[in-house]
Structure formats: structure tokens, C-alpha cells
Amino acid sequence: MEQMKQSGSLSKAQLNHYEQEGYLVLENLLDEADMLPVRQAMTEKVSIIARDLIENGIITDPLIDDPFEHRLANIFNGLTDKQFLKYGRGWRDRLPGYYELLSNPKILNAVESLIGPEIFASPVYNVRPKVPRVAAGAVPWHQDKSYWPGANANPVITVWISFVDATLENGCLHIKPRTHNTTLLEWHQEQYSSTGYTALHENQLGDTSTLPLPVKAGTAILFNDRLLHMSTPNLSDGVRWSVDLRYQPTDQDPMLQHGTGFLARSTRFPERVATLEDWLAERPERENS
């Protein structure tokens, strides 16, 4: 463990905070240049959705000149939850901007401090467009591990990044610090939003105070997959865009039932680290390495 702590970008104080509290906020981890390709991928997806809605006679204007933060919200203004959920509660499109995010050295340097330099990017990553007045925007209390209960005994690291300012109004992340040392709690699938989110009952949450985490765009929140967390509905007029990424050591279950992840960093086998072309082709390692 000591050897792991010597690599990566996190300080001893940051490591101690993560280990004690179960989470860590890295303010302004990404700059505008880091976020640009991700926002471009998000914009491309919105254009695809707009074209589909036009082809189905649901809308007439793709609103291509609307600002990034408002376009998707304006497109779905007046439409139903069902019409939004046709496109999924979260997106995992293989667009180049998401590979650039998953393999961003700033993120990997922080993750390396927690799990060492042999890093596998999990197939479970989600682009989250929290749209105003859509039920799928509110995520109930849960533990991420409820989505892979049998994958491994060790925690998977979640890296949650907002691409607009995440506020109390637009539905920022809420956590319960120090709940990461609990076992996986018995969960159920919530029914009210037709999303099938895993959820916990109120009486399972204990007496730990809830901590809201409003953050600026480009800030990353790292947390353990057993940490209790949720997010509230979006009461603003814009979209709360975020992406949640997940990383684990390479000697753990790659969770193939969720898709194909990739080797993001390796000091032992650097020649095997997946390129963009590998990721687009759903190869976990570099071809012909």
C-alpha cells in the first residue's frame, strides 16, 4: 500500500481524506481544453437525438444555435419523460471525446494514487444529461456497487466530473461521508421514474449527515463504490451535464457483462495500453501489441 501512495498526483493529506471520508473533491481538475472534446461529443449526441425527433415528427427545430447548457433542455421542453428515456438515462456512446476523457492523464494520475499504476478503465461510464422536469434526473440514494455486486471484493473508484457548474438548483451530487466502510446494502429498483435505478430505503441510510457537493465545471469528485450518494432533481432551466467514470486495478474482474473496458495505463505493459482506435473497435488492449 505504501508503494501505491508514492505514485500518482494526490498528496498525503488528500489520500488520508479519501481513506477516512470515502470521497475527495479535486477542484478545477480539468481546464477548458480538457473539457472541449467531451462537450463536442455531447453536442454531437444531442444533434443525433434532435434529428431523430424531427424524423418522427415530434419537433421541427433542432435548435442548433442554442447554448450548450440549454439546447437539450429546450428540445425536450414540453415533451414527456417517456420520450426522453427512449434515449436512455445515461449514455455510453463511443465518441472520441469520451476516450480522451477516460484516458486524460490528470484523471489517471489521481486514480494511480489510489490503486497503483496498473489501471483498467471500467466499461461502466455514463454521460449524464440531467434535464429539467424529467423524472430520470433525480437519482435515489444508492451504492454504485449495487450495479456489480459480485464483481470483486475491492472497491471500484468512481470519478464524477461536471461539465457545467453543478449547483443545489440544478441537482448536484449529495453524499454521506464515511459510509464507504459499510457492506453492500440490500437494494431495490425504484419504480417512480421508469428508470430502474437501484435504490435504498430511508431506514437504511443511518444517521450520517448528508453533504451536498456543488462544484464548478471541471471539478472531479472521486469516491468509493460503497459510498452512499444521490442527486436531486434539476430545478433550473439548463442541463446539468456530468460524466461518471470508473477505474479499477487490472487484476480485478473486467465486468464484461457491462461491456468492454480498456487498459488505460500500465508501467508493466505500456505497449498494451489501448489507443482510440482500439477503444472505438471495443478492444480492451492495443491491437498487435
Side-chain angles (χ1 to χ4, degrees):
M1 191 64 178
E2 288 302 319
Q3 185 175 0
M4 287 186 184
K5 290 183 180 180
Q6 292 172 6
S7 65
S9 59
L10 300 185
S11 67
K12 185 176 181 181
Q14 289 174 318
L15 284 166
N16 288 339
H17 185 279
Y18 181 89
E19 291 172 1
Q20 292 173 11
E21 304 295 326
Y23 78 99
L24 179 67
V25 178
L26 298 178
E27 295 183 359
N28 303 313
L29 181 68
L30 303 184
D31 59 25
E32 288 298 321
D34 296 313
M35 291 189 284
L36 179 60
V38 185
R39 288 179 174 147
Q40 288 174 334
M42 293 168 170
T43 299
E44 181 178 345
K45 177 70 170 184
V46 173
S47 293
I48 291 170
I49 289 173
R51 286 196 296 269
D52 184 69
L53 290 169
I54 289 171
E55 290 170 4
N56 285 280
I58 298 172
I59 65 172
T60 58
D61 187 348
L63 304 178
I64 57 174
D65 294 324
D66 281 18
F68 168 75
E69 190 172 342
H70 291 89
R71 183 185 176 198
L72 187 65
N74 293 344
I75 285 172
F76 277 96
N77 187 27
L79 302 185
T80 67
D81 289 356
K82 185 177 180 180
Q83 287 168 317
F84 177 81
L85 287 171
K86 171 186 175 182
Y87 305 99
R89 66 188 190 192
W91 305 335
R92 294 182 191 167
D93 303 275
R94 292 205 173 231
L95 299 172
Y98 300 144
Y99 169 83
E100 291 192 39
L101 179 66
L102 283 157
S103 57
N104 187 297
K106 296 176 184 177
I107 297 172
L108 295 180
N109 289 345
V111 171
E112 181 173 331
S113 296
L114 300 173
I115 63 175
E118 306 300 312
I119 301 174
F120 182 78
S122 166
V124 185
Y125 70 95
N126 298 289
V127 179
R128 304 283 191 185
K130 186 190 283 281
V131 176
R133 297 171 294 282
V134 171
V139 181
W141 283 107
H142 68 286
Q143 297 166 294
D144 280 355
K145 193 169 175 58
S146 60
Y147 291 99
W148 47 88
N152 53 67
N154 299 312
V156 174
I157 308 300
T158 293
V159 180
W160 188 96
I161 305 171
S162 192
F163 286 81
V164 298
D165 291 351
T167 66
L168 293 172
E169 182 185 22
N170 69 13
C172 65
L173 197 67
H174 291 62
I175 67 167
K176 287 188 176 289
R178 301 196 175 199
T179 56
H180 61 299
N181 292 319
T182 60
T183 59
L184 177 62
L185 300 173
E186 185 175 349
W187 52 271
H188 66 280
Q189 286 193 322
E190 62 88 5
Q191 301 297 322
Y192 71 89
S193 69
S194 301
T195 59
Y197 284 126
T198 66
L200 298 170
H201 294 291
E202 192 71 27
N203 62 8
Q204 295 175 284
L205 303 180
D207 57 4
T208 303
S209 297
T210 297
L211 176 66
L213 292 175
V215 295
K216 295 292 186 182
T219 294
I221 303 172
L222 283 61
F223 58 92
N224 179 293
D225 66 358
R226 290 181 178 85
L227 187 79
L228 299 182
H229 63 286
M230 57 87 80
S231 67
T232 49
N234 184 351
L235 303 179
S236 74
D237 60 359
V239 180
R240 193 221 69 189
W241 285 102
S242 68
V243 182
D244 42 281
L245 315 175
R246 288 172 182 85
Y247 299 91
Q248 57 196 102
T250 55
D251 60 357
Q252 291 188 11
D253 181 351
M255 299 195 285
L256 293 174
Q257 70 272 29
H258 295 287
T260 303
F262 69 96
L263 183 63
R265 173 172 289 182
S266 175
T267 55
R268 294 178 61 198
F269 305 106
E271 72 282 357
R272 296 184 186 177
V273 171
T275 65
L276 170 61
E277 290 71 26
D278 296 312
W279 184 75
L280 292 174
E282 299 188 43
R283 293 188 295 262
E285 296 186 359
R286 187 176 303 177
E287 188 175 43
N288 301 320
S289 61

